Short mmCIF file of all heavy atoms in Angstrom, two decimals:
data_model
loop_
_atom_site.label_atom_id
_atom_site.label_comp_id
_atom_site.label_asym_id
_atom_site.label_seq_id
_atom_site.Cartn_x
_atom_site.Cartn_y
_atom_site.Cartn_z
N ILE M 564 -20.96 9.83 36.58
CA ILE M 564 -19.72 10.30 37.19
C ILE M 564 -20.00 11.44 38.15
O ILE M 564 -19.47 11.48 39.27
CB ILE M 564 -18.72 10.74 36.10
CG1 ILE M 564 -18.28 9.54 35.27
CG2 ILE M 564 -17.51 11.43 36.71
CD1 ILE M 564 -17.45 9.90 34.06
N VAL M 665 -11.74 7.44 31.62
CA VAL M 665 -10.55 8.23 31.93
C VAL M 665 -10.89 9.32 32.94
O VAL M 665 -10.17 9.56 33.92
CB VAL M 665 -9.94 8.83 30.65
CG1 VAL M 665 -8.86 9.86 30.99
CG2 VAL M 665 -9.36 7.72 29.78
N LEU M 666 -12.02 10.00 32.71
CA LEU M 666 -12.45 11.05 33.64
C LEU M 666 -12.74 10.46 35.01
O LEU M 666 -12.37 11.03 36.04
CB LEU M 666 -13.70 11.74 33.08
CG LEU M 666 -14.31 12.85 33.96
CD1 LEU M 666 -13.29 13.96 34.19
CD2 LEU M 666 -15.57 13.40 33.30
N HIS M 667 -13.40 9.30 35.04
CA HIS M 667 -13.72 8.64 36.31
C HIS M 667 -12.44 8.31 37.08
O HIS M 667 -12.36 8.51 38.29
CB HIS M 667 -14.52 7.37 36.02
CG HIS M 667 -14.99 6.64 37.24
ND1 HIS M 667 -14.21 5.69 37.88
CD2 HIS M 667 -16.14 6.71 37.95
CE1 HIS M 667 -14.88 5.21 38.92
NE2 HIS M 667 -16.04 5.81 38.98
N ARG M 668 -11.45 7.81 36.38
CA ARG M 668 -10.19 7.46 37.05
C ARG M 668 -9.46 8.70 37.55
O ARG M 668 -8.90 8.71 38.65
CB ARG M 668 -9.29 6.67 36.09
CG ARG M 668 -7.96 6.24 36.72
CD ARG M 668 -7.19 5.38 35.74
NE ARG M 668 -5.85 5.08 36.23
CZ ARG M 668 -5.41 3.87 36.52
NH1 ARG M 668 -6.22 2.83 36.39
NH2 ARG M 668 -4.18 3.68 36.94
N MET M 669 -9.47 9.77 36.75
CA MET M 669 -8.80 11.00 37.15
C MET M 669 -9.44 11.60 38.39
O MET M 669 -8.75 12.17 39.25
CB MET M 669 -8.82 12.00 36.00
CG MET M 669 -7.96 11.63 34.81
SD MET M 669 -8.15 12.77 33.43
CE MET M 669 -7.62 14.30 34.17
N LEU M 670 -10.76 11.46 38.50
CA LEU M 670 -11.47 12.00 39.67
C LEU M 670 -11.39 11.09 40.88
O LEU M 670 -11.88 11.44 41.95
CB LEU M 670 -12.94 12.26 39.30
CG LEU M 670 -13.17 13.34 38.25
CD1 LEU M 670 -14.66 13.44 37.92
CD2 LEU M 670 -12.65 14.69 38.73
N GLY M 671 -10.81 9.91 40.70
CA GLY M 671 -10.62 9.01 41.84
C GLY M 671 -11.75 8.06 42.08
O GLY M 671 -11.68 7.20 42.96
N GLY M 672 -12.86 8.17 41.31
CA GLY M 672 -13.97 7.24 41.50
C GLY M 672 -14.69 7.47 42.81
O GLY M 672 -14.37 8.35 43.60
N ALA M 673 -15.70 6.66 43.07
CA ALA M 673 -16.52 6.82 44.26
C ALA M 673 -15.87 6.23 45.49
O ALA M 673 -16.06 6.72 46.60
CB ALA M 673 -17.89 6.17 44.03
#
Side-chain angles (χ1 to χ4, degrees):
I564 294 172
V665 169
L666 179 60
H667 184 272
R668 181 175 173 117
M669 291 175 61
L670 294 177

